[in-house]
């Protein structure tokens, strides 16, 4: 690792107000013979007036320290606002005789959800041509289903969870979170009258969907650790207290989810974690609406990680499996429902897509005629499509794939209505604003009268406008490869203005995540233009623990290999300096959630390397959290980090990298920790404790600030303008540290 020169201080300590000092209340914690004294655990009790007073004092300190950045924040906010078409709309999607879409209006924080009646019965391609809607101009016959701005009036926070319309189009079920804690209250609206039904279901999770008969509703609830553990069924017109538990998951290390299959014949209930799963299916298309028994597809005891997609082939039910059995990057197979529930060694699977070491398969969906597979090749997310006719037989046709020109992009399936001849895709890149395409699989490879092909299958429906004359040719995005200290090649995405070339030693903002097999895919950002136009090079370090290079890339950055995520990030920074992209004295590191853990770890690992660090809802007290299975999601996290409660090796390993426990008497760079009081995924107490410890133990003079959104959740404040303000705060903090103001 390059030993970078000491960084100058942004301001003398005497010029700054005194930082809040949290009182110390020693609490001992002993595991596997190791005793740790935690002086700041008392900050966990958010109902304590002293805790709230401390967080308020921290916000006041942050305001004082960053007061000089206010003008820059306002400029960045205005730039985002000027480039955004505030009055806009989504591309309508057809479902059961209606076109559904959403609008945004200038000055409105939230979307307005609408529909209009569709023409034709859907039997012709022309029936799937979405209506052209002008921003701000309602369509004739437009019906407003839900106005998010009206719903948000009078509440400190508003977030929409479930949003489901019954099969006959007469009822809307929607869930609202008004606190930021990701617990939703479901209400049901009669779309014929506009009136709310008396049914109210509180404390639910995100997903809710109607039974195909439209007379009942499925939804999930979480337990005390915020783990979805029950699927319930609510019969319309009955009290929620009478709702029946349809399925339950008692294993604290398993997450429960449910959906009605695309063909509406099955209820699919899945329990799983990152390493194995179990799907249970129940028929829904009988003459009775009573819940029958469930059919297990592959028992969890077989330790197979899989998804199941029920399809109809020649009028017969079949299960399509996306599985990792002897296939680390997953494969696709076809299964007869008669084999469901047998030991996996006794089941007969027909290969559909064989395992490939260079292609990671991560999801499946279907409609009446085609199977859609999410695939990742050469780090790029794409969609592969197969005809159901002949699937799993000698007549199976090769998969097709919508083709795009850019090297670095992301293409994903938005939806495939069951009876539609078209699938909806989204496309974006670092340089291309989000596009919406309709993909017609039957036309892939067809030629027009002039002999042209390919373009027939893809119909561009919309490209998100960027106001102010955005020119993508004025920017560049490229893939580089950094060498890790153990010789592994790390993919690096470098985004810049076209006139910013290597050798100039530029200011750099380096982003990373590296957990849960989540890939940081190319995506356009209006806000990021405010960085690029100031000469900043924006870099994504695709460190191990993510999914960019397949399942092995993920597994080499989790559990007892987790440190690879941290050293990869620092090694990418060294590459940026050595290759001439980065000024070694002007590099800012940033990441959020598990990426915030990354930030805390690299702060300890290489504090002299970064001019500043911005950690958003950071998971920096990881060991304390994982050691307490009563805390939200802790038990579920054992599959990601290991179980330090029962395994002394895991405990020692985490004890060696968890940021809070490893704060050292060194000069840390300036740090901004950003959190939300009602976050249920990463409690505010983690960054609060971390900041207190950094100030107590660190020897530097750079300011360390904590900013707490008092009415927000894991995603920060609600409403697009509030989110723009959050972004402007982070960008101004980073640009000020880089000296780019």
């Amino acid at each position: 690792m390059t030993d970078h020169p000491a960084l100058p201080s942004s301001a003398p300590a005497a010029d700054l107000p005194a930082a809040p000092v949290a009182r110390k209340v020693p609490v001992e914690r002993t595991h596997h013979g190791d005793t740790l004294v935690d002086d700041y655990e008392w900050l966990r009790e958010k109902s304590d007036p002293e805790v709230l007073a401390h967080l308020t004092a921290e916000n006041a300190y942050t305001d004082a320290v960053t007061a000089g950045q206010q003008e820059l924040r306002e400029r960045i906010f205005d730039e985002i606002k000027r480039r955004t078409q505030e009055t806009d709309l989504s591309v309508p999607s057809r479902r059961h005789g209606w076109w559904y879409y959403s609008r945004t209006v200038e000055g409105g924080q939230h979307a307005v959800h609408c529909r209009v009646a569709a023409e034709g019965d859907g039997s012709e391609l022309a029936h799937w041509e979405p209506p052209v809607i002008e921003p701000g101009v309602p369509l004739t016959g437009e019906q407003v289903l839900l106005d998010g701005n009206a719903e948000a009036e009078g509440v400190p926070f508003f977030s929409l969870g479930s949003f489901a319309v019954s099969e006959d189009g007469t009822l809307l079920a929607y869930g609202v979170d008004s606190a930021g804690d990701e617990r939703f209250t479901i209400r049901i609206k009669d779309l014929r009258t506009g009136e709310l039904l008396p049914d109210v279901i509180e404390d639910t999770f995100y997903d809710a969907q109607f039974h195909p008969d439209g007379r009942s509703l499925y939804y999930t609830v979480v337990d005390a650790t915020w783990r979805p553990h029950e699927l319930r069924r609510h019969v319309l017109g009955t009290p929620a207290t009478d709702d029946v538990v349809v399925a339950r998951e008692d294993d604290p290390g398993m997450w429960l989810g449910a959906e009605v299959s695309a063909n509406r014949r099955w209820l699919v209930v899945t329990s799983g974690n990152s390493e194995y799963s179990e799907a249970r299916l129940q028929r829904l298309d009988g003459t009775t609406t009573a819940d029958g028994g469930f059919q297990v597809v592959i028992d969890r005891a077989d330790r197979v990680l899989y998804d199941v997609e029920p399809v109809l082939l020649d009028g017969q039910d079949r299960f399509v499996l996306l599985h990792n059995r002897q296939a680390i990057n997953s494969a696709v197979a076809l299964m007869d429902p008669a084999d469901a529930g047998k030991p996996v060694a006794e089941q007969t699977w027909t290969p559909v897509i064989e395992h490939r070491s260079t292609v990671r398969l991560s999801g499946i969906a279907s409609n009446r005629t085609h199977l859609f597979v999410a695939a990742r090749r050469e780090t790029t997310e794409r969609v592969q499509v197969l005809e159901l006719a002949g699937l799993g037989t000698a007549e199976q046709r090769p998969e097709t794939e919508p083709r795009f020109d850019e090297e670095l992009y992301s293409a994903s399936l938005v939806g495939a209505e069951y009876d539609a001849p078209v699938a909806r895709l989204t496309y974006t890149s670092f340089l291309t604003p989000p596009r919406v395409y309709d993909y017609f699989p039957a036309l892939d490879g067809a030629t027009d009268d002039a002999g042209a092909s390919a373009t027939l299958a893809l119909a561009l429906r919309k490209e998100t406008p960027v106001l102010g004359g955005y020119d993508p040719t004025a920017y560049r995005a490229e893939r580089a490869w950094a060498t890790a200290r153990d010789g592994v090649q790390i993919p690096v995405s470098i985004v810049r203005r076209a006139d910013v070339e290597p050798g100039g030693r530029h200011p750099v903002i380096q982003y990373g995540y590296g957990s849960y097999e989540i890939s940081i895919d190319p995506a356009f950002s209006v806000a990021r233009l405010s960085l690029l136009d100031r000469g900043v090079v924006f870099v994504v370090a695709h460190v191990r623990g993510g999914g960019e290079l397949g399942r092995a890339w993920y597994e080499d950055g989790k559990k007892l290999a987790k440190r690879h995520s941290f050293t990869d990030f620092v090694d990418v920074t060294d590459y940026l300096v050595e290759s001439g992209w980065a000024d070694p004295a002007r590099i800012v590191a940033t990441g959020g959630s598990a990426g915030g853990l990354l930030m805390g770890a690299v702060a300890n690992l290489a504090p002299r390397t970064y001019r500043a660090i911005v950690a958003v809802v950071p998971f920096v007290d990881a060991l304390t959290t994982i050691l307490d299975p009563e805390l939200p999601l802790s038990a579920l996290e054992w599959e990601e980090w290991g179980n330090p409660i029962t395994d002394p090796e895991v405990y020692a390993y985490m004890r060696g990298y968890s940021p809070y426990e490893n704060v050292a008497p060194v000069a840390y760079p300036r740090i901004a920790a950003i959190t939300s009081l009602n976050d249920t995924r990463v409690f505010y107490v983690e960054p609060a404790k971390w900041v207190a410890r950094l100030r107590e133990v660190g020897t530097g003079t750079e300011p360390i600030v904590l900013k707490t959104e008092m009415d927000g959740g894991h995603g920060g404040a609600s409403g697009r303008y509030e989110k723009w303000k959050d972004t402007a705060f982070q960008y101004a903090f980073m640009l000020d540290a880089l000296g780019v103001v």
Side-chain angles (χ1 to χ4, degrees), residues 345-395:
E346 299 176 13
Q347 295 180 356
T348 300
W349 298 357
T350 303
V352 172
I353 300 179
E354 300 278 6
H355 174 262
R356 289 165 287 184
S357 61
T358 57
V359 181
R360 172 72 166 117
L361 306 180
S362 58
I364 52 175
S366 69
N367 64 9
R368 184 183 295 278
T369 57
H370 287 82
L371 180 72
F372 304 91
V373 182
R376 185 175 301 278
R377 185 173 68 246
E378 297 171 345
T379 77
T380 302
E381 181 186 25
R382 55 195 77 207
V383 179
Q384 296 181 343
V385 185
L386 296 94
E387 289 187 38
L388 289 181
L391 197 71
T393 72
E395 286 72 42

Side-chain angles (χ1 to χ4, degrees), residues 181-183 203-207 220-232 247-257 270-273 280 300 629-638 680-681:
D181 59 1
E182 297 182 80
R183 287 174 169 83
D203 291 327
T204 73
F205 196 52
Y206 282 93
D207 48 347
T220 53
V221 297
V222 297
D223 62 12
T225 67
W226 200 73
R227 177 184 66 94
H229 75 125
E230 283 186 353
L231 175 68
R232 297 179 183 175
R248 181 181 175 91
E249 178 52 64
D250 292 321
D251 186 336
M254 301 282 274
W255 182 296
L256 183 141
T270 302
S271 296
N273 53 44
R280 291 168 279 171
R300 67 187 68 191
E630 299 302 317
L631 290 178
L633 302 181
S634 287
L636 284 167
E637 297 288 326
W638 294 337
T680 52
R681 300 182 186 230

Side-chain angles (χ1 to χ4, degrees), residues 10 15-21 53-71 73 613-615 670-675 687-688 691-692 695 702-710 725-726 728-734 736:
S10 61
D15 293 343
L16 299 176
V21 178
H54 177 75
L55 296 178
T56 300
E58 288 281 12
N59 280 344
Y61 175 70
T62 298
D63 290 343
V65 169
T66 63
Q69 301 164 20
Q70 178 62 30
E71 183 179 347
R73 288 198 294 267
I613 293 174
V614 174
R670 67 179 70 176
I671 293 174
I674 300 168
T675 188
V691 165
R695 293 201 193 118
E702 292 285 356
I704 296 171
V705 300
L706 173 69
K707 182 178 186 293
T708 304
E709 173 57 57
M710 304 302 279
K725 290 178 184 177
D726 289 346
F729 176 90
Q730 296 171 35
Y731 281 10
F733 187 91
M734 293 188 282
D736 181 71

Side-chain angles (χ1 to χ4, degrees), residues 711-722:
D711 292 310
H714 194 62
S718 66
R720 56 176 175 168
Y721 297 111
E722 296 306 312

Side-chain angles (χ1 to χ4, degrees), residues 503-518:
R505 291 182 171 263
H506 308 289
V508 166
I509 292 176
Q510 181 177 326
Y511 174 83
Y513 188 78
S515 292
Y516 304 108
E517 202 181 355
I518 292 175

Side-chain angles (χ1 to χ4, degrees), residues 115 143 145 165 169-172 189-195:
R115 72 178 181 182
Q143 179 183 8
L145 307 182
V165 178
T170 63
L171 298 174
L172 167 69
K189 183 177 182 180
D190 188 327
L191 298 178
R192 294 161 297 191
T193 65
E195 300 296 323

Side-chain angles (χ1 to χ4, degrees), residues 7 506-512 531 536-541 569 572-573 576-577 581-591 598-599 602-603 606-616 669-672 729-740:
L7 300 175
H506 308 289
V508 166
I509 292 176
Q510 181 177 326
Y511 174 83
L531 302 177
V536 172
V537 178
F538 183 84
V539 174
V540 179
F569 191 89
V572 167
T573 307
L576 295 171
V577 172
W581 282 112
D583 178 345
R586 292 197 297 165
I587 304 171
V588 169
T590 184
L598 176 64
M599 293 302 100
V602 300
R608 289 164 55 88
T609 299
Y610 302 100
R611 185 71 183 96
I613 293 174
V614 174
V616 182
R670 67 179 70 176
I671 293 174
F729 176 90
Q730 296 171 35
Y731 281 10
F733 187 91
M734 293 188 282
L735 290 170
D736 181 71
L738 293 170
V740 182

Side-chain angles (χ1 to χ4, degrees), residues 418-487:
Y418 186 65
D419 291 314
V422 60
R424 179 66 53 84
L425 307 178
T426 59
Y427 173 93
T428 186
S429 75
F430 288 118
L431 307 182
T432 303
R435 292 175 177 173
V436 176
Y437 285 97
D438 277 345
Y439 175 63
F440 296 84
L443 298 181
D444 204 332
T447 58
D448 59 19
D449 294 339
S453 63
T455 55
L456 290 177
L458 278 174
L460 177 62
R461 300 306 190 192
K462 179 182 180 180
E463 179 173 304
T464 300
V466 181
L467 305 184
Y470 168 69
D471 178 8
T473 65
Y475 304 89
R476 297 286 185 271
E478 62 189 70
R479 171 60 41 78
W481 296 85
T483 302
R485 59 196 66 187
D486 61 358

